[in-house]
Amino acid sequence: MSIKSLFHAAVIAGLLSTPQAAMADQMQDDAQAAADRWDQAYNAGEVDKLSNLYASDAIVVTKGKPQSGEDIGKFFSSLKSKGWDDHKTVVKSAQPKGDLVIVTGRWEMTGPGPDGAKKKFEGNWVNVLEKKDGSLKTVLHTWN
């Protein structure tokens, strides 16, 4: 194959992959926007707004036991009342799978340390979002 043919093949491959790359970037931006809405609602203590970010059949897998329905809002309200604040999520990847988007990233927040002083905690985070009626709602949420 000549250099000219290789160049043309590379240009065509680049043009064909550009729409997919743009779609992937948009999906990650949309996932980050959803995570930002979650952070804002949690940090403001707006439990109703936070609860509305979850699908009606959502599951939040916590260290204790999985939460669903009204218990999701109660769980996060309790966490907030115990001094867990300043939540921030950074999306690292967003992979579409039909009407679902598998989102991974990092989380951090401050909470009570062993001596009672505020301490920064952080870890990995996974959300499965469902695309429905033009919005993304969480159907599965977990972290470590």
Side-chain angles (χ1 to χ4, degrees):
M1 189 178 264
S2 72
I3 299 225
K4 187 175 179 181
S5 296
L6 285 173
F7 175 76
H8 284 115
V11 168
I12 290 169
L15 290 172
L16 291 174
S17 68
T18 300
Q20 288 179 341
M23 284 183 9
D25 288 345
Q26 184 62 51
M27 185 56 62
Q28 186 152 340
D29 290 347
D30 291 348
Q32 184 63 61
D36 291 345
R37 285 189 295 276
W38 193 98
D39 289 341
Q40 291 164 1
Y42 177 83
N43 290 331
E46 296 174 335
V47 176
D48 289 341
K49 194 178 220 180
L50 182 74
S51 295
N52 286 330
L53 298 174
Y54 290 87
S56 60
D57 58 349
I59 298 171
V60 175
V61 181
T62 69
K63 183 178 178 182
K65 68 175 186 143
Q67 308 293 321
S68 60
E70 293 178 5
D71 290 339
I72 292 173
K74 291 176 186 175
F75 172 80
F76 288 116
S77 180
S78 174
L79 203 62
K80 181 90 170 143
S81 72
K82 293 175 183 169
W84 293 91
D85 292 310
D86 306 317
H87 196 279
K88 181 177 181 193
T89 309
V90 176
V91 171
K92 299 290 187 178
S93 73
Q95 302 296 317
K97 300 284 183 189
D99 289 339
L100 301 176
V101 183
I102 300 168
V103 185
T104 62
R106 299 281 299 165
W107 65 272
E108 66 180 52
M109 69 189 311
T110 59
D115 60 357
K118 286 281 189 176
K119 179 181 171 185
K120 179 180 166 183
F121 294 83
E122 60 186 328
N124 296 306
W125 164 87
V126 176
N127 260 18
V128 177
L129 305 174
E130 181 177 34
K131 296 182 274 184
K132 193 170 189 180
D133 300 327
S135 67
L136 293 170
K137 296 242 184 194
T138 300
V139 294
L140 178 66
H141 179 176
T142 193
W143 61 91
N144 67 8

Coordinates of all heavy atoms in Angstrom, one line a residue, residues 53-132:
L53 N -33.9 12.8 41.6 CA -32.9 12.4 40.6 C -32.8 10.9 40.4 O -32.0 10.5 39.6 CB -31.5 13.0 41.1 CG -31.5 14.5 41.2 CD1 -30.1 15.0 41.7 CD2 -31.7 15.2 39.8
Y54 N -33.5 10.2 41.2 CA -33.5 8.7 41.2 C -34.8 8.2 40.5 O -35.9 8.8 40.7 CB -33.5 8.1 42.6 CG -32.1 8.3 43.2 CD1 -31.8 9.5 43.9 CD2 -31.1 7.4 43.1 CE1 -30.6 9.7 44.5 CE2 -29.9 7.6 43.7 CZ -29.6 8.7 44.4 OH -28.4 8.9 44.9
A55 N -34.7 7.2 39.7 CA -35.9 6.5 39.1 C -36.7 5.9 40.3 O -36.1 5.6 41.4 CB -35.4 5.4 38.2
S56 N -37.9 5.6 40.0 CA -38.8 5.1 41.1 C -38.4 3.7 41.6 O -38.6 3.4 42.7 CB -40.3 5.0 40.6 OG -40.4 4.2 39.5
D57 N -37.7 3.0 40.7 CA -37.2 1.6 41.1 C -35.7 1.6 41.4 O -35.1 0.5 41.4 CB -37.6 0.6 40.0 CG -37.0 1.0 38.7 OD1 -36.5 2.1 38.5 OD2 -37.0 0.1 37.8
A58 N -35.1 2.8 41.7 CA -33.7 2.9 41.9 C -33.2 2.1 43.2 O -34.0 1.9 44.1 CB -33.3 4.3 42.0
I59 N -32.0 1.7 43.2 CA -31.3 1.1 44.3 C -30.0 1.8 44.6 O -29.2 2.0 43.7 CB -31.0 -0.4 44.1 CG1 -32.3 -1.2 43.8 CG2 -30.3 -1.0 45.2 CD1 -32.1 -2.6 43.3
V60 N -29.8 2.2 45.9 CA -28.6 2.7 46.3 C -27.9 1.7 47.2 O -28.5 1.3 48.2 CB -28.8 4.1 47.1 CG1 -27.5 4.6 47.6 CG2 -29.4 5.1 46.2
V61 N -26.8 1.2 46.8 CA -26.1 0.1 47.5 C -25.1 0.8 48.5 O -24.1 1.4 48.1 CB -25.3 -0.8 46.6 CG1 -24.6 -1.9 47.4 CG2 -26.2 -1.4 45.6
T62 N -25.4 0.7 49.8 CA -24.6 1.4 50.8 C -23.8 0.3 51.6 O -24.0 -0.9 51.4 CB -25.5 2.1 51.8 OG1 -26.3 1.1 52.6 CG2 -26.5 3.1 51.1
K63 N -23.0 0.8 52.5 CA -22.2 -0.2 53.3 C -23.1 -1.0 54.2 O -22.9 -2.2 54.4 CB -21.3 0.6 54.2 CG -20.4 -0.2 55.1 CD -19.4 0.6 55.9 CE -18.6 -0.2 56.8 NZ -17.7 0.6 57.6
G64 N -24.2 -0.5 54.7 CA -25.1 -1.2 55.5 C -26.0 -2.2 54.7 O -25.8 -3.3 54.6
K65 N -27.1 -1.6 54.1 CA -28.0 -2.4 53.3 C -28.5 -1.5 52.1 O -28.5 -0.3 52.2 CB -29.2 -2.9 54.1 CG -30.1 -1.8 54.6 CD -31.3 -2.3 55.3 CE -32.3 -1.1 55.5 NZ -33.6 -1.5 55.4
P66 N -28.9 -2.2 51.0 CA -29.4 -1.4 49.9 C -30.6 -0.6 50.3 O -31.4 -1.0 51.1 CB -29.7 -2.5 48.9 CG -28.9 -3.7 49.3 CD -28.8 -3.6 50.7
Q67 N -30.7 0.6 49.7 CA -31.8 1.5 50.0 C -32.6 1.7 48.7 O -32.0 1.7 47.6 CB -31.2 2.9 50.4 CG -30.3 2.9 51.5 CD -30.9 2.5 52.8 OE1 -32.0 2.9 53.1 NE2 -30.1 1.7 53.6
S68 N -33.9 1.8 48.8 CA -34.8 2.0 47.7 C -35.9 2.9 48.1 O -36.2 3.1 49.3 CB -35.2 0.7 47.1 OG -36.0 0.0 48.1
G69 N -36.7 3.4 47.1 CA -37.9 4.2 47.4 C -37.6 5.4 48.3 O -36.6 6.1 48.1
E70 N -38.5 5.6 49.2 CA -38.3 6.7 50.2 C -37.1 6.6 51.0 O -36.6 7.6 51.6 CB -39.5 6.8 51.1 CG -40.8 7.2 50.4 CD -42.0 7.2 51.4 OE1 -41.8 7.0 52.6 OE2 -43.1 7.4 50.9
D71 N -36.6 5.4 51.2 CA -35.4 5.2 52.1 C -34.1 5.9 51.5 O -33.2 6.2 52.2 CB -35.1 3.7 52.3 CG -36.2 3.1 53.2 OD1 -36.9 3.8 53.9 OD2 -36.4 1.9 53.1
I72 N -34.1 6.1 50.2 CA -32.9 6.8 49.6 C -32.8 8.2 50.1 O -31.7 8.6 50.6 CB -33.1 6.8 48.0 CG1 -32.9 5.3 47.5 CG2 -32.0 7.7 47.4 CD1 -33.2 5.2 46.0
G73 N -33.9 8.9 50.1 CA -33.8 10.3 50.7 C -33.5 10.3 52.1 O -32.8 11.1 52.6
K74 N -34.1 9.4 52.9 CA -33.9 9.3 54.3 C -32.4 9.0 54.6 O -31.8 9.5 55.5 CB -34.8 8.2 54.9 CG -36.3 8.6 55.0 CD -37.1 7.4 55.5 CE -38.6 7.8 55.4 NZ -39.4 6.6 55.8
F75 N -31.8 8.1 53.8 CA -30.4 7.7 54.0 C -29.5 8.9 53.8 O -28.7 9.2 54.7 CB -30.0 6.6 53.0 CG -28.6 6.3 53.0 CD1 -28.0 5.5 54.0 CD2 -27.7 6.9 52.1 CE1 -26.6 5.3 54.0 CE2 -26.3 6.7 52.1 CZ -25.8 5.8 53.1
F76 N -29.7 9.7 52.7 CA -28.9 10.8 52.5 C -29.1 12.0 53.5 O -28.2 12.7 53.9 CB -28.9 11.3 51.0 CG -28.2 10.3 50.1 CD1 -29.0 9.6 49.2 CD2 -26.9 10.0 50.2 CE1 -28.3 8.7 48.3 CE2 -26.3 9.1 49.4 CZ -27.0 8.5 48.4
S77 N -30.4 12.1 53.9 CA -30.7 13.1 54.9 C -30.0 12.8 56.2 O -29.4 13.7 56.9 CB -32.2 13.2 55.1 OG -32.6 14.1 56.0
S78 N -30.0 11.6 56.6 CA -29.3 11.1 57.8 C -27.8 11.4 57.7 O -27.2 11.8 58.7 CB -29.6 9.7 58.1 OG -28.9 9.2 59.2
L79 N -27.3 11.0 56.6 CA -25.8 11.2 56.3 C -25.5 12.7 56.5 O -24.5 13.1 57.2 CB -25.5 10.7 54.9 CG -24.1 10.3 54.6 CD1 -23.6 9.2 55.5 CD2 -23.9 10.0 53.1
K80 N -26.3 13.6 55.9 CA -26.0 15.0 55.9 C -26.1 15.5 57.4 O -25.3 16.3 57.8 CB -27.0 15.7 55.0 CG -26.9 17.2 55.0 CD -26.0 17.6 53.9 CE -26.1 19.1 53.7 NZ -24.8 19.7 53.4
S81 N -27.1 15.0 58.1 CA -27.3 15.5 59.5 C -26.2 15.1 60.4 O -26.0 15.7 61.5 CB -28.7 15.0 60.0 OG -28.6 13.6 60.3
K82 N -25.4 14.0 60.0 CA -24.3 13.6 60.8 C -23.0 14.3 60.5 O -21.9 14.0 61.0 CB -24.1 12.1 60.6 CG -25.3 11.3 61.2 CD -25.1 9.8 60.9 CE -26.3 9.0 61.4 NZ -26.4 7.7 61.0
G83 N -23.1 15.3 59.6 CA -21.9 16.1 59.3 C -21.2 15.8 58.1 O -20.1 16.3 57.9
W84 N -21.8 15.0 57.2 CA -21.1 14.7 55.9 C -21.5 15.8 54.9 O -22.7 15.9 54.6 CB -21.6 13.3 55.5 CG -21.0 12.2 56.4 CD1 -21.6 11.7 57.5 CD2 -19.8 11.6 56.3 NE1 -20.8 10.8 58.1 CE2 -19.7 10.7 57.3 CE3 -18.7 11.7 55.4 CZ2 -18.6 9.9 57.6 CZ3 -17.6 10.9 55.6 CH2 -17.5 10.0 56.7
D85 N -20.5 16.5 54.5 CA -20.8 17.7 53.6 C -19.8 17.8 52.5 O -18.9 17.0 52.3 CB -20.6 19.0 54.5 CG -21.6 19.2 55.6 OD1 -22.8 19.1 55.2 OD2 -21.2 19.4 56.7
D86 N -20.0 18.9 51.7 CA -19.1 19.3 50.6 C -18.8 18.1 49.6 O -17.7 17.9 49.2 CB -17.8 19.8 51.2 CG -18.0 20.9 52.1 OD1 -18.8 21.8 51.9 OD2 -17.3 20.9 53.2
H87 N -19.9 17.5 49.2 CA -19.8 16.3 48.2 C -19.4 16.9 46.9 O -20.0 17.8 46.4 CB -21.1 15.5 48.2 CG -20.9 14.2 47.5 ND1 -20.9 14.0 46.2 CD2 -20.7 13.0 48.1 CE1 -20.7 12.7 45.9 NE2 -20.6 12.1 47.1
K88 N -18.5 16.2 46.2 CA -18.1 16.5 44.8 C -17.8 15.2 44.1 O -17.1 14.3 44.6 CB -16.9 17.4 44.8 CG -16.5 17.8 43.4 CD -15.3 18.7 43.4 CE -15.0 18.9 41.9 NZ -13.9 19.5 41.5
T89 N -18.4 15.1 42.9 CA -18.2 14.0 42.0 C -17.6 14.4 40.7 O -17.9 15.4 40.1 CB -19.6 13.3 41.7 OG1 -20.3 13.1 42.9 CG2 -19.4 12.0 40.9
V90 N -16.6 13.6 40.3 CA -15.9 13.9 39.0 C -16.1 12.6 38.2 O -15.7 11.5 38.5 CB -14.4 14.1 39.2 CG1 -13.7 14.3 37.8 CG2 -14.2 15.4 40.0
V91 N -16.8 12.8 37.0 CA -17.1 11.7 36.1 C -15.8 11.4 35.3 O -15.2 12.3 34.7 CB -18.2 12.0 35.2 CG1 -18.4 11.0 34.1 CG2 -19.5 12.1 36.0
K92 N -15.4 10.1 35.3 CA -14.2 9.7 34.5 C -14.6 9.0 33.2 O -13.9 9.1 32.2 CB -13.3 8.8 35.3 CG -12.8 9.4 36.6 CD -11.7 10.5 36.3 CE -11.1 11.0 37.5 NZ -10.1 12.0 37.3
S93 N -15.8 8.3 33.2 CA -16.2 7.7 32.0 C -17.7 7.5 32.0 O -18.3 7.5 33.1 CB -15.6 6.3 31.8 OG -16.1 5.4 32.7
A94 N -18.3 7.5 30.8 CA -19.7 7.3 30.6 C -19.9 6.5 29.4 O -19.6 6.9 28.3 CB -20.5 8.7 30.5
Q95 N -20.4 5.2 29.6 CA -20.6 4.3 28.6 C -22.1 4.0 28.3 O -22.7 3.4 29.2 CB -19.9 2.9 28.9 CG -18.4 3.1 29.2 CD -17.6 3.5 28.0 OE1 -17.8 3.0 26.9 NE2 -16.7 4.5 28.2
P96 N -22.6 4.4 27.1 CA -24.0 4.1 26.8 C -24.2 2.6 26.5 O -23.4 2.0 25.9 CB -24.3 5.0 25.6 CG -23.0 5.3 25.0 CD -21.9 5.2 26.1
K97 N -25.3 2.1 27.0 CA -25.7 0.7 26.8 C -27.3 0.8 26.6 O -28.0 0.6 27.6 CB -25.4 -0.2 28.0 CG -24.0 -0.3 28.3 CD -23.2 -1.2 27.4 CE -21.8 -1.3 27.8 NZ -21.0 -1.9 26.8
G98 N -27.7 1.0 25.4 CA -29.1 1.1 25.1 C -29.7 2.4 25.8 O -29.1 3.5 25.6
D99 N -30.7 2.2 26.6 CA -31.3 3.3 27.4 C -30.6 3.6 28.7 O -31.0 4.5 29.4 CB -32.8 3.1 27.7 CG -33.6 3.1 26.4 OD1 -33.2 3.8 25.4 OD2 -34.7 2.6 26.4
L100 N -29.5 2.9 28.9 CA -28.7 3.1 30.2 C -27.4 3.7 29.8 O -26.9 3.6 28.7 CB -28.5 1.7 30.9 CG -29.7 0.9 31.3 CD1 -29.3 -0.4 31.9 CD2 -30.6 1.7 32.3
V101 N -26.8 4.3 30.9 CA -25.4 4.9 30.8 C -24.7 4.4 32.0 O -25.2 4.7 33.1 CB -25.4 6.4 30.7 CG1 -24.0 6.9 30.5 CG2 -26.3 6.9 29.6
I102 N -23.6 3.7 31.9 CA -22.8 3.3 33.0 C -21.7 4.4 33.2 O -20.9 4.6 32.4 CB -22.2 1.9 32.7 CG1 -23.3 0.9 32.5 CG2 -21.3 1.5 33.9 CD1 -22.8 -0.4 31.9
V103 N -21.8 5.0 34.4 CA -20.9 6.1 34.7 C -20.0 5.8 35.9 O -20.5 5.2 36.9 CB -21.8 7.4 35.1 CG1 -20.9 8.6 35.3 CG2 -22.9 7.6 34.0
T104 N -18.7 6.1 35.7 CA -17.8 5.8 36.8 C -17.0 7.1 37.0 O -16.9 8.0 36.2 CB -16.8 4.7 36.4 OG1 -16.0 5.1 35.3 CG2 -17.5 3.4 36.2
G105 N -16.4 7.2 38.2 CA -15.6 8.4 38.5 C -15.1 8.3 40.0 O -15.0 7.2 40.6
R106 N -14.9 9.5 40.5 CA -14.4 9.6 41.8 C -15.3 10.6 42.6 O -16.0 11.4 42.1 CB -13.0 10.3 41.8 CG -11.9 9.5 41.1 CD -11.4 8.3 41.9 NE -10.7 8.8 43.1 CZ -10.4 8.0 44.1 NH1 -10.7 6.7 44.0 NH2 -9.8 8.4 45.1
W107 N -15.4 10.3 43.9 CA -16.2 11.2 44.8 C -15.3 11.6 45.9 O -14.3 11.0 46.3 CB -17.4 10.5 45.4 CG -17.1 9.3 46.3 CD1 -16.9 8.1 45.9 CD2 -16.8 9.4 47.7 NE1 -16.5 7.3 47.0 CE2 -16.5 8.1 48.1 CE3 -16.9 10.4 48.6 CZ2 -16.2 7.8 49.4 CZ3 -16.6 10.1 49.9 CH2 -16.3 8.8 50.3
E108 N -15.6 12.8 46.5 CA -15.0 13.2 47.8 C -16.0 14.0 48.6 O -16.9 14.6 48.0 CB -13.7 14.0 47.5 CG -14.0 15.3 46.8 CD -12.7 16.1 46.5 OE1 -11.8 15.6 46.0 OE2 -12.7 17.3 46.9
M109 N -15.8 14.0 49.9 CA -16.6 14.8 50.8 C -15.9 14.9 52.1 O -14.9 14.2 52.4 CB -18.0 14.2 50.9 CG -18.1 12.9 51.6 SD -19.7 12.1 51.6 CE -20.9 13.3 52.0
T110 N -16.4 15.8 52.9 CA -15.8 16.0 54.3 C -16.8 15.3 55.2 O -18.0 15.3 55.0 CB -15.6 17.4 54.7 OG1 -16.8 18.1 54.6 CG2 -14.5 18.1 53.8
G111 N -16.2 14.8 56.3 CA -17.1 14.2 57.3 C -16.3 14.1 58.6 O -15.2 14.5 58.7
P112 N -17.0 13.7 59.6 CA -16.4 13.6 61.0 C -15.3 12.6 61.0 O -15.4 11.4 60.6 CB -17.5 13.2 61.9 CG -18.7 12.7 61.0 CD -18.4 13.2 59.6
G113 N -14.1 13.0 61.4 CA -13.0 12.1 61.6 C -13.0 11.5 63.0 O -13.8 11.8 63.8
P114 N -12.0 10.6 63.3 CA -11.9 9.9 64.5 C -11.9 10.9 65.7 O -12.4 10.6 66.8 CB -10.6 9.1 64.5 CG -10.3 9.1 63.0 CD -10.9 10.3 62.4
D115 N -11.3 12.0 65.6 CA -11.2 13.0 66.7 C -12.3 14.0 66.7 O -12.2 15.0 67.5 CB -9.8 13.7 66.7 CG -9.6 14.5 65.4 OD1 -10.4 14.4 64.5 OD2 -8.5 15.1 65.3
G116 N -13.3 13.9 65.8 CA -14.4 14.8 65.8 C -14.2 15.9 64.8 O -15.1 16.6 64.4
A117 N -12.9 16.1 64.4 CA -12.6 17.2 63.4 C -13.0 16.7 62.0 O -13.1 15.6 61.7 CB -11.1 17.6 63.4
K118 N -13.3 17.7 61.1 CA -13.7 17.4 59.7 C -12.5 16.8 59.0 O -11.3 17.2 59.2 CB -14.1 18.7 59.0 CG -15.4 19.2 59.3 CD -16.5 18.4 58.6 CE -17.8 19.1 58.8 NZ -18.9 18.4 58.1
K119 N -12.8 15.8 58.2 CA -11.7 15.1 57.5 C -12.2 14.8 56.1 O -13.4 14.6 55.8 CB -11.5 13.7 58.2 CG -10.4 12.9 57.5 CD -10.2 11.5 58.3 CE -9.4 10.6 57.4 NZ -9.2 9.3 58.0
K120 N -11.3 14.8 55.1 CA -11.7 14.5 53.7 C -11.7 13.0 53.5 O -10.8 12.3 53.8 CB -10.7 15.2 52.8 CG -11.0 15.0 51.3 CD -10.0 15.7 50.4 CE -10.0 15.2 49.0 NZ -9.0 15.8 48.2
F121 N -12.8 12.6 52.9 CA -12.9 11.2 52.5 C -13.1 11.1 51.0 O -13.6 12.1 50.4 CB -14.1 10.5 53.2 CG -14.0 10.4 54.6 CD1 -14.3 11.5 55.5 CD2 -13.6 9.2 55.2 CE1 -14.2 11.4 56.8 CE2 -13.4 9.1 56.6 CZ -13.8 10.2 57.4
E122 N -12.7 10.1 50.3 CA -12.8 10.0 48.9 C -12.8 8.5 48.4 O -12.3 7.6 49.2 CB -11.7 10.8 48.2 CG -10.3 10.3 48.5 CD -9.2 11.2 47.9 OE1 -9.4 11.8 46.8 OE2 -8.2 11.3 48.5
G123 N -13.2 8.3 47.2 CA -13.2 6.9 46.7 C -13.7 6.9 45.3 O -13.9 7.9 44.6
N124 N -14.0 5.6 44.9 CA -14.6 5.4 43.5 C -16.1 5.4 43.6 O -16.7 5.2 44.6 CB -14.1 4.0 43.0 CG -12.6 4.0 42.8 OD1 -12.1 4.8 42.1 ND2 -12.0 3.0 43.5
W125 N -16.7 5.7 42.5 CA -18.2 5.9 42.4 C -18.7 5.3 41.1 O -18.0 5.4 40.1 CB -18.4 7.4 42.5 CG -19.7 7.9 42.1 CD1 -20.8 8.1 42.9 CD2 -20.1 8.5 40.8 NE1 -21.8 8.7 42.2 CE2 -21.4 8.9 40.9 CE3 -19.4 8.6 39.6 CZ2 -22.1 9.5 39.9 CZ3 -20.1 9.2 38.6 CH2 -21.4 9.6 38.7
V126 N -19.8 4.6 41.2 CA -20.5 4.1 40.0 C -22.0 4.4 40.0 O -22.6 4.3 41.1 CB -20.4 2.5 39.9 CG1 -21.1 2.0 38.7 CG2 -18.9 2.1 39.9
N127 N -22.5 4.9 38.9 CA -23.9 5.2 38.8 C -24.4 4.5 37.5 O -23.6 4.6 36.5 CB -24.2 6.7 38.7 CG -24.7 7.2 40.0 OD1 -24.6 6.7 41.1 ND2 -25.3 8.4 39.9
V128 N -25.5 4.0 37.5 CA -26.2 3.5 36.2 C -27.3 4.5 36.1 O -28.2 4.6 37.0 CB -26.6 2.1 36.3 CG1 -27.3 1.7 35.0 CG2 -25.4 1.2 36.5
L129 N -27.3 5.2 35.0 CA -28.4 6.2 34.7 C -29.3 5.6 33.6 O -28.8 4.9 32.7 CB -27.8 7.5 34.2 CG -26.7 8.1 35.2 CD1 -26.1 9.4 34.6 CD2 -27.4 8.5 36.5
E130 N -30.5 6.0 33.6 CA -31.5 5.6 32.6 C -31.9 6.9 31.9 O -32.3 7.9 32.5 CB -32.7 4.9 33.3 CG -33.7 4.5 32.3 CD -34.9 3.8 32.9 OE1 -35.3 4.1 34.1 OE2 -35.4 2.8 32.3
K131 N -31.8 6.8 30.5 CA -32.3 7.9 29.7 C -33.8 7.7 29.5 O -34.2 6.7 29.0 CB -31.6 7.9 28.3 CG -30.1 8.2 28.4 CD -29.5 8.2 27.1 CE -29.1 6.8 26.6 NZ -28.4 6.7 25.4
K132 N -34.6 8.7 30.0 CA -36.0 8.6 29.9 C -36.6 10.0 29.9 O -36.3 10.8 30.7 CB -36.6 7.8 31.1 CG -38.0 7.4 31.0 CD -38.4 6.5 32.1 CE -39.7 5.8 31.9 NZ -40.1 4.9 33.0

